[in-house]
């Protein structure tokens, strides 16, 4: 499959809105001015924060930091903590670029397709697109582990949640990852949430049995719809939708082998 579909353009991507421009500028300034700067191979923002239509108040600001030395070094952890002190919603992922596509193929695809470069760049030479075989293998492991974990949450008698919107966001993220794996193993190169939601709307078979409930849940999570009147019932439905989406991806990935 590799090379048959044109790759999305690789940065720089214009930040969506003044808030993100301010955040990106603040992080980039601290990366460039840090003692660790020479050891940073690339730093990019990715995920829902890049698109206002896909974000919610539960969204993290995802920073992927690729370093030349040991990512587990306490100095990197301390550096990430200093960044988080300025932006509490910041989620910092520290790793090496070498071999990353094999270790984390889904995130590698997202880094290639959705990125706002802050320092350095990530393109084909730095991060090759993961193979379909690697994506399928990772997807099957993800689906089995995720379905089991979410199912245990559904089995619990008490599904009352302090923040039903946050749960809707968590469950909708699982649905989106299920869609990402299904489309990527077919050779697709799209990973951003708005495009995936549009595909669910335009191609109901992609989300047979859970598509409509997912779209409602997704809008609740982003507060485009009012919060559910019965939070416990809604929580059970959201978890069930997430399981259905993950199991659907698992079935398709299994058949694709």
């Amino acid at each position: 499959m590799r090379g048959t579909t044109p790759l999305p353009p690789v940065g720089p991507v214009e930040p969506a809105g003044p808030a993100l421009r301010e955040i990106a500028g603040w992080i980039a300034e601290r990366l460039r001015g840090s003692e660790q700067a020479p050891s940073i191979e690339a730093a990019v923002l990715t995920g829902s924060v890049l698109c206002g239509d896909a974000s919610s108040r539960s969204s993290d600001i995802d920073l992927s930091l690729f370093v030349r030395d040991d990512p587990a070094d306490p100095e990197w952890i301390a550096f990430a903590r200093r960044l988080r002190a300025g932006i509490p919603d910041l989620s910092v992922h520290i790793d090496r670029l070498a071999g990353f596509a094999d270790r984390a193929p889904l995130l590698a695809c997202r880094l290639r397709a959705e990125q706002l470069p802050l320092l350095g760049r990530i393109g084909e030479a730095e991060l090759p697109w993961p193979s379909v075989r690697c994506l399928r293998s990772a997807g099957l492991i993800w689906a089995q582990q995720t379905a089991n974990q979410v199912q245990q949450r559904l089995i619990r008698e008490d599904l009352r949640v302090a923040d039903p919107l946050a749960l809707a966001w968590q469950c909708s993220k699982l649905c989106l990852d299920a869609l990402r794996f299904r489309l990527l193993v077919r050779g697709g190169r799209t990973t951003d949430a708005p495009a995936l939601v549009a595909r669910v709307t335009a191609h109901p078979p992609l989300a047979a049995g859970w598509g409509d409930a997912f779209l409602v849940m997704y809008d609740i999570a982003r507060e485009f719809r009012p919060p559910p009147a019965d939070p416990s019932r809604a929580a059970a439905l959201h978890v069930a939708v997430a399981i259905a989406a993950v199991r659907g991806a698992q079935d398709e990935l299994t058949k694709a082998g």
Side-chain angles (χ1 to χ4, degrees), residues 127 137 226 239:
L127 185 63
S137 176
V239 174

Side-chain angles (χ1 to χ4, degrees), residues 53-125:
D53 290 342
S55 63
S56 86
R57 62 180 173 81
S58 300
S59 296
D60 285 330
I61 300 168
D62 294 300
L63 171 66
S64 291
L65 195 61
F66 292 98
V67 302
R68 294 183 173 88
D69 47 12
D70 183 3
D73 189 300
E75 288 190 6
W76 288 117
I77 305 302
F79 180 59
R81 285 177 177 162
R82 290 196 295 272
L83 292 175
R84 275 184 54 84
I87 304 177
D89 291 336
L90 189 66
S91 177
V92 185
H93 312 279
I94 309 169
D95 210 319
R96 289 194 183 99
L97 269 173
F100 186 75
D102 293 328
R103 294 194 302 275
L106 178 60
L107 182 53
C109 290
R110 297 199 67 184
L111 286 168
R112 288 292 309 281
E114 315 164 48
Q115 64 165 290
L116 172 59
L118 302 180
L119 190 66
R121 69 186 300 276
I122 300 177
E124 177 72 17

Side-chain angles (χ1 to χ4, degrees), residues 12-25:
V13 176
E14 178 65 20
L20 182 55
R21 283 196 291 272
E22 182 177 353
I23 289 169

Side-chain angles (χ1 to χ4, degrees), residues 147-166:
N148 287 341
Q149 292 168 359
V150 178
Q151 191 173 58
Q152 294 311 304
R153 189 162 191 171
L154 185 61
I155 289 171
R156 295 173 190 166
E157 293 182 4
D158 187 359
L159 265 174
R160 289 175 297 178
V161 289
D163 190 344
L165 298 181

Side-chain angles (χ1 to χ4, degrees), residues 27-254:
I27 298 173
E29 181 180 353
R30 278 147 186 82
L31 292 174
R32 289 192 295 266
S34 69
E35 294 180 359
Q36 289 86 356
S39 297
I40 299 174
E41 193 167 2
V44 301
L45 291 178
T46 189
S48 60
V49 71
L50 299 184
C51 177
D53 290 342
S55 63
S56 86
R57 62 180 173 81
S58 300
S59 296
D60 285 330
I61 300 168
D62 294 300
L63 171 66
S64 291
L65 195 61
F66 292 98
V67 302
R68 294 183 173 88
D69 47 12
D70 183 3
D73 189 300
E75 288 190 6
W76 288 117
I77 305 302
F79 180 59
R81 285 177 177 162
R82 290 196 295 272
L83 292 175
R84 275 184 54 84
I87 304 177
D89 291 336
L90 189 66
S91 177
V92 185
H93 312 279
I94 309 169
D95 210 319
R96 289 194 183 99
L97 269 173
F100 186 75
D102 293 328
R103 294 194 302 275
L106 178 60
L107 182 53
C109 290
R110 297 199 67 184
L111 286 168
R112 288 292 309 281
E114 315 164 48
Q115 64 165 290
L116 172 59
L118 302 180
L119 190 66
R121 69 186 300 276
I122 300 177
E124 177 72 17
E126 296 81 12
L127 185 63
W129 192 270
S131 68
V132 170
R133 180 179 179 180
C134 185
L135 283 162
R136 177 182 174 273
S137 176
L140 285 171
I141 294 171
W142 170 84
Q144 184 62 43
Q145 293 176 341
T146 302
N148 287 341
Q149 292 168 359
V150 178
Q151 191 173 58
Q152 294 311 304
R153 189 162 191 171
L154 185 61
I155 289 171
R156 295 173 190 166
E157 293 182 4
D158 187 359
L159 265 174
R160 289 175 297 178
V161 289
D163 190 344
L165 298 181
L167 179 64
W169 179 249
Q170 292 166 11
C171 291
S172 64
K173 285 177 65 177
L174 295 179
C175 294
L176 290 169
D177 278 347
L179 286 168
R180 288 182 178 107
F181 274 117
R182 293 178 67 176
L183 295 173
L184 289 169
V185 296
R186 298 177 186 177
R189 298 293 175 104
T190 299
T191 62
D192 64 281
L196 295 170
V197 171
R199 289 189 69 105
V200 170
T201 304
H203 305 283
L206 261 180
W210 57 269
D212 290 342
F214 159 72
L215 294 173
V216 171
M217 177 174 68
Y218 187 65
D219 280 349
I220 289 173
R222 295 175 300 149
E223 299 182 77
F224 287 1
R225 292 176 185 254
D230 184 345
S232 295
R233 182 178 179 184
L237 175 60
H238 295 163
V239 174
V241 170
I243 291 175
V246 174
R247 290 296 189 196
Q250 185 180 44
D251 290 344
E252 186 166 327
L253 292 170
T254 300

